[in-house]
Amino acid sequence: MPSVFVQGRPTAVYPPLAPEARRGSVRRVTEVGEDVLHKPCRDVTEFGPDLAALIDDMFRTMYVAEGAGLAANQVGVGLRLFVYDCPDDDGVRHVGHIVNPVLDHLEPAARRLLDEGEGCLSVPGATMAVPRPDRAVVRGLDKDGEPLVVEGNGYFARCLAHETDHVNGYVYLDRLSARDRKAALRQSADRRAEVFARRAANARALEEDSGGLTGSRA
C-alpha cells in the first residue's frame, strides 16, 4: 500500500510539509466560545485565487499549531472547508483539503465506535475521550470545484468526522458530558500558555526554514 495519499489518491513521493504551507501565512486560531465556531458554515460558491490562498494559510496555520486538521472557521472564516495532514491506523499519511464536505451515514454493520483521546486546536491543550466511528467517508469538492471523495480509518476517520463537525458548527466539547466538558476546559486553562509558547516557536522555525517544527503533531 502507498505510504501517502494526497486528495484521496496514492502519491509516490511527498514532502514533510504540504507545499501550500510554504506559500501561506499564519492566522490566529479561534477558540471555543467564539461565535464563528458555534454556527454552521456557509457553502463555498466561489472557486479561485482567494480560496486557494485561504487553503495555503490554513495549511501553514495547522502545522504551526501542531494539528492533524483545521477547519476554516478555526481561522475565523465561516466557510465549509477544511485541510488535513493525518495518519490512519495503518500508518498511511493522508494530506489534502475538502470544500463543502458531507460525511456519509454508515450503517452500524460497516463501522464500530472507538472511544479514544481527541483534542482540538480551538481548545488548546485539552484531550478527552470521544466516541467516533472507526471508518469515515467524506464527499465534497477540491479547490477547483471538482468532485472529491476521501475515506479513512482509525485516527484519520476521527479527523474527518471532527473537521466535518466544525463546518457544521460543533466542537468536540459538544459531544462530552457536562463533567467532561468542564474537565477539558480546566485542562485548556492550565496548559494554554505552554501551547501558545510552542506555537510561537513553531512559527519562528517555519519562517526561518530551520529544519522543521518543534514538538509532534497530534
Side-chain angles (χ1 to χ4, degrees), residues 38-52:
H38 301 285
K39 57 185 179 183
C41 295
R42 307 183 308 278
D43 279 349
V44 173
T45 57
E46 296 185 12
F47 297 81
D50 289 346
L51 179 63

Side-chain angles (χ1 to χ4, degrees), residues 148-205:
L148 180 66
V149 180
V150 178
E151 301 184 35
N153 67 61
Y155 186 57
F156 182 46
R158 179 172 296 272
C159 175
L160 292 174
H162 178 111
E163 301 306 329
T164 304
D165 268 0
H166 271 305
V167 303
N168 291 329
Y170 299 102
V171 296
Y172 85 101
L173 299 184
D174 297 325
R175 295 187 174 272
L176 301 178
S177 67
R179 182 179 66 180
D180 285 348
R181 179 186 174 94
K182 289 179 181 178
L185 292 173
R186 283 196 300 269
Q187 282 186 33
S188 183
D190 290 343
R191 300 171 183 171
R192 189 174 184 276
E194 175 190 345
V195 169
F196 277 80
R198 196 163 63 243
R199 290 181 185 179
N202 289 339
R204 290 193 297 270

Side-chain angles (χ1 to χ4, degrees), residues 102-106 135-139 149-152 157 160 164:
V102 176
L103 188 68
D104 276 7
H105 172 73
L106 301 179
R135 180 170 172 264
V137 179
V138 176
R139 301 175 190 275
V149 180
V150 178
E151 301 184 35
L160 292 174
T164 304

Side-chain angles (χ1 to χ4, degrees), residues 59-181:
F59 267 107
R60 192 176 186 95
T61 302
M62 179 182 69
Y63 289 133
V64 163
E66 300 176 2
L70 184 74
N73 57 355
Q74 292 184 276
V75 293
V77 179
L79 292 176
R80 295 182 62 85
L81 162 68
F82 66 80
V83 302
Y84 59 89
D85 187 341
C86 182
D88 64 24
D89 282 8
D90 297 319
V92 177
R93 180 185 176 198
H94 298 265
V95 187
H97 67 271
I98 306 180
V99 178
N100 297 340
V102 176
L103 188 68
D104 276 7
H105 172 73
L106 301 179
E107 296 299 327
R111 58 171 174 78
R112 62 191 178 99
L113 286 179
L114 299 178
D115 198 17
E116 296 181 348
E118 186 168 326
C120 179
L121 301 184
S122 294
V123 192
T127 303
M128 299 296 292
V130 181
R132 298 275 192 188
D134 67 341
R135 180 170 172 264
V137 179
V138 176
R139 301 175 190 275
L141 306 170
D142 67 14
K143 64 182 176 62
D144 299 313
E146 296 298 322
L148 180 66
V149 180
V150 178
E151 301 184 35
N153 67 61
Y155 186 57
F156 182 46
R158 179 172 296 272
C159 175
L160 292 174
H162 178 111
E163 301 306 329
T164 304
D165 268 0
H166 271 305
V167 303
N168 291 329
Y170 299 102
V171 296
Y172 85 101
L173 299 184
D174 297 325
R175 295 187 174 272
L176 301 178
S177 67
R179 182 179 66 180
D180 285 348
R181 179 186 174 94

